[in-house]
Amino acid sequence: ISPTVGIGGLTAVCENETATYSVPKWMSVLYNWQVSGGTIESAVTVQSGGVVTMSSGSFSGSVDLAAGASMTVTGGTFSGSVTGAGSFELAGGSWRTSTIDAAGPRIWSGGYIFDELTIPAGGHLEISGTASKTLYGKLIIDADATATVSGTGQIRLYERIGYGYAGRIVNRGS
């Protein structure tokens, strides 16, 4: 089996149009999808065992990660929501105005968060690793949500005030 396979599907998709991309199916073979460059503006579902790495470009939409699936952003800009029991990690690049659900592991180990990140009731955000992390905006932690901090990486927090920034975490819990 070749380590590189062709992806079947359209090279361009119009607004409000759905496209399906596929690769040859072999028993017990899992594919690691990598997004490099370009723009994805859609809803993406990653099935159990699926691994997606975004290294550049931009994504705007929603990602639903089934249990056992994972997505890691190492570069580019992710602007969207994350749902499902799978793992999502921001390891580099940036994450813009987003909401995460309570279902799966959500990890911030590097890169930038812009505007606002909301952790809803029952949700959890793990802030970890040795890389520097910067928040330009607000980290909103709803009641019954948690965030834990570990590792040695520097964390910088800045809230937008007019045309400048000042640091702030909003805790809606007790």
Side-chain angles (χ1 to χ4, degrees):
I1 298 174
S2 172
T4 305
V5 297
I7 299 172
L10 301 171
T11 56
V13 180
C14 295
E15 187 173 343
N16 298 319
E17 183 177 5
T18 300
T20 300
Y21 295 89
S22 61
V23 292
K25 182 165 176 72
W26 290 300
M27 288 180 47
S28 73
V29 173
L30 295 176
Y31 291 98
N32 294 329
W33 292 79
Q34 183 170 357
V35 178
S36 297
T39 300
I40 297 174
E41 297 177 350
S42 184
V44 173
T45 300
V46 183
Q47 300 297 327
S48 181
V51 176
V52 175
T53 302
M54 181 177 153
S55 59
S56 64
S58 63
F59 176 90
S60 173
S62 63
V63 173
D64 183 25
L65 299 164
S70 68
M71 180 173 183
T72 303
V73 176
T74 60
T77 301
F78 180 88
S79 301
S81 62
V82 179
T83 59
S87 174
F88 180 87
E89 178 174 2
L90 176 65
S94 63
W95 196 358
R96 291 189 133 354
T97 305
S98 299
T99 299
I100 59 175
D101 69 0
R106 308 296 182 241
I107 303 161
W108 180 24
S109 63
Y112 300 87
I113 296 176
F114 288 92
D115 301 326
E116 187 173 289
L117 176 62
T118 301
I119 305 169
H124 176 75
L125 176 66
E126 176 187 328
I127 304 170
S128 63
T130 58
S132 293
K133 294 161 269 307
T134 305
L135 170 70
Y136 290 102
K138 292 180 188 175
L139 173 58
I140 299 174
I141 304 168
D142 281 346
D144 298 322
T146 59
T148 57
V149 179
S150 64
T152 58
Q154 182 181 32
I155 302 170
R156 294 178 291 251
L157 307 171
Y158 303 96
E159 181 182 10
R160 181 181 289 276
I161 299 176
Y163 292 104
Y165 288 93
R168 181 170 123 178
I169 294 178
V170 177
N171 186 342
R172 293 185 182 161
S174 53

